[in-house]
Amino acid sequence: EVDTSFNVINQDSAYVRGIDFRTGRVFNYTSVSETSGGGVTPGGMNMVLRGVNGKGEPVRNVFTITYTNDCDVPAFRRGESIGWVTIENFEPASPSTCLVPAATASPTSG
């Protein structure tokens, strides 16, 4: 993950290292904002996944995602895909990492 100025704040390959993924396998990614005890606001993430295809040829899935830090704009939705990665479950950002305040209901005149 990177901070809002794109400085690396977390680099951890433990999520996928040494795991033999087959179609339908799942890995979990937890933001550094959840594990650091607060005080860190991620601005995005870069992920590089390496593997082999059915012919034994090396393949890579590389993606970079930048966050709006607007809690009203989810980074992902269930079922969306990035290359061969499909989002199975997504937990919204912690309000403490939202730089843009969440919208509040507007009062209505009665």
Side-chain angles (χ1 to χ4, degrees), residues 5-6 11 20 50 71:
S5 297
F6 295 96
Q11 189 170 351
D20 184 15
R50 295 176 180 93
C71 280

Side-chain angles (χ1 to χ4, degrees), residues 12-101:
D12 185 357
S13 62
Y15 298 103
V16 294
R17 179 164 285 157
I19 301 171
D20 184 15
F21 286 104
R22 304 283 178 181
T23 300
R25 292 289 307 264
V26 173
F27 70 91
N28 295 305
Y29 178 81
T30 302
S31 172
V32 68
S33 65
E34 294 297 317
T35 60
S36 69
V40 176
T41 301
M45 69 177 287
N46 182 59
M47 188 166 283
V48 179
L49 301 172
R50 295 176 180 93
V52 293
N53 63 17
K55 296 179 182 178
E57 302 165 327
V59 293
R60 289 193 307 175
N61 185 5
V62 179
F63 51 90
T64 300
I65 299 160
T66 57
Y67 306 144
T68 64
N69 295 93
D70 178 346
C71 280
D72 288 335
V73 180
F76 304 104
R77 289 190 171 74
R78 180 182 169 97
E80 291 181 325
S81 295
I82 304 170
W84 66 67
V85 174
T86 301
I87 307 301
E88 177 68 24
N89 187 25
F90 178 73
E91 294 183 24
S94 165
S96 66
T97 64
C98 298
L99 301 179
V100 177

